[in-house]
């Protein structure tokens, strides 16, 4: 960042250093918001965890067990805080992240293509999972009194909204939804 265009930021008369990017809560944020540094970081971190997957394959563990290890050790790294950065990804950055899952499934199911391995394993494309996380970030179960305050996510079959409220029908449309809302299908009753 060109510092000559900005006055220095001061805190207790101490100048705060300007940086082009920083890591906060495990997410690398750059000044002009490209997510390439963050994607490189998570891909590198996830790739380091492949050793466990490879060792389990060598030891002859069942594919289902190895898949559970992948879903526990590797995939969370690739999806951590994706609600923040998913919408800013380019196609190539999304493909870099997807390539990690592709490599892992190739290790677990060496005889299958990626699409076949996805269907056999029951996994989804990571981009599809990220879209769902952005679209329906929370799910609210009926937790007694007060659960009626929020309308959250899709309903069971047919894509009808689910309302955890008192006496509201699952087929009833919510009183207000906005397609422009940053959190779609999330309204107060």
């Amino acid at each position: 960042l060109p510092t000559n265009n900005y006055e220095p930021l001061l805190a207790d008369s101490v100048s705060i250093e300007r940086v082009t990017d920083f890591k906060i809560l495990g997410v690398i944020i750059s000044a002009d918001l490209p997510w390439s540094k963050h994607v490189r970081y998570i891909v590198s971190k996830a790739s380091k965890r492949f050793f466990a997957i490879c060792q389990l394959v060598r030891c002859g563990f069942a594919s289902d067990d190895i898949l559970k290890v992948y879903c526990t050790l590797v995939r969370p790294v690739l999806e951590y805080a994706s609600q923040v950065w998913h919408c800013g990804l380019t196609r190539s950055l999304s493909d870099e992240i997807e390539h990690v899952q592709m490599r892992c499934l190739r290790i677990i199911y060496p005889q299958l293509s990626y699409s076949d391995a996805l269907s056999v394993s029951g996994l989804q494309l990571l981009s599809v999972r990220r879209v769902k996380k952005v679209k329906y970030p929370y799910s609210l179960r009926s937790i007694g009194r007060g659960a009626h305050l929020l309308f959250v996510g899709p309903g069971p079959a047919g894509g009808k909204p689910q309302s955890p409220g008192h006496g509201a029908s699952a087929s009833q449309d919510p009183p207000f939804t906005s397609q422009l809302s940053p959190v779609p299908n999330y309204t107060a009753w």
Side-chain angles (χ1 to χ4, degrees):
L1 289 175
T3 56
N4 57 357
N5 294 341
Y6 303 101
E7 292 184 26
L9 296 172
L10 300 174
D12 291 332
S13 302
V14 177
S15 180
I16 298 174
E17 177 188 3
R18 290 189 184 271
V19 294
T20 56
D21 55 70
F22 63 97
K23 183 175 170 185
I24 182 166
L25 298 174
V27 178
I28 298 176
I29 300 176
S30 299
D32 53 351
L33 290 179
W35 294 103
S36 55
K37 286 186 181 183
H38 179 69
V39 168
R40 280 195 304 267
Y41 168 72
I42 63 172
V43 165
S44 171
K45 188 174 180 179
S47 296
K48 291 175 185 175
R49 297 176 181 211
F50 276 6
F51 180 75
I53 304 291
C54 293
Q55 290 301 315
L56 293 173
V57 169
R58 285 188 192 124
C59 291
F61 278 79
S63 297
D64 289 345
D65 294 335
I66 301 170
L67 195 60
K68 288 176 186 173
V69 171
Y70 163 74
C71 291
T72 305
L73 291 180
V74 181
R75 190 170 68 181
V77 172
L78 300 172
E79 294 182 333
Y80 176 72
S82 63
Q83 295 90 335
V84 173
W85 47 265
H86 166 71
C87 295
L89 289 181
T90 63
R91 178 68 178 185
S92 64
L93 292 176
S94 183
D95 290 345
E96 282 184 51
I97 297 168
E98 195 69 42
H99 187 72
V100 175
Q101 179 168 279
M102 186 183 306
R103 285 174 42 208
C104 217
L105 288 180
R106 192 177 308 135
I107 292 169
I108 298 171
Y109 303 104
Q111 70 282 4
L112 299 177
S113 68
Y114 183 52
S115 58
D116 291 341
L118 284 173
S119 61
V120 166
S121 65
L123 296 179
Q124 296 176 322
L125 293 171
L126 292 174
S127 58
V128 170
R129 287 178 53 85
R130 287 193 305 270
V131 167
K132 286 182 179 179
K133 281 184 162 191
V134 169
K135 195 167 183 181
Y136 306 110
Y138 307 104
S139 65
L140 180 64
R141 305 279 187 247
S142 278
I143 35 180
R145 199 167 184 91
H148 66 284
L149 296 176
L150 300 175
F151 169 79
V152 181
K160 286 290 186 182
Q162 175 180 336
S163 60
H166 300 289
S169 163
S171 63
Q172 180 182 19
D173 288 330
F176 172 76
T177 57
S178 171
Q179 296 299 335
L180 302 176
S181 170
V183 185
N185 292 326
Y186 183 91
T187 59
W189 282 100

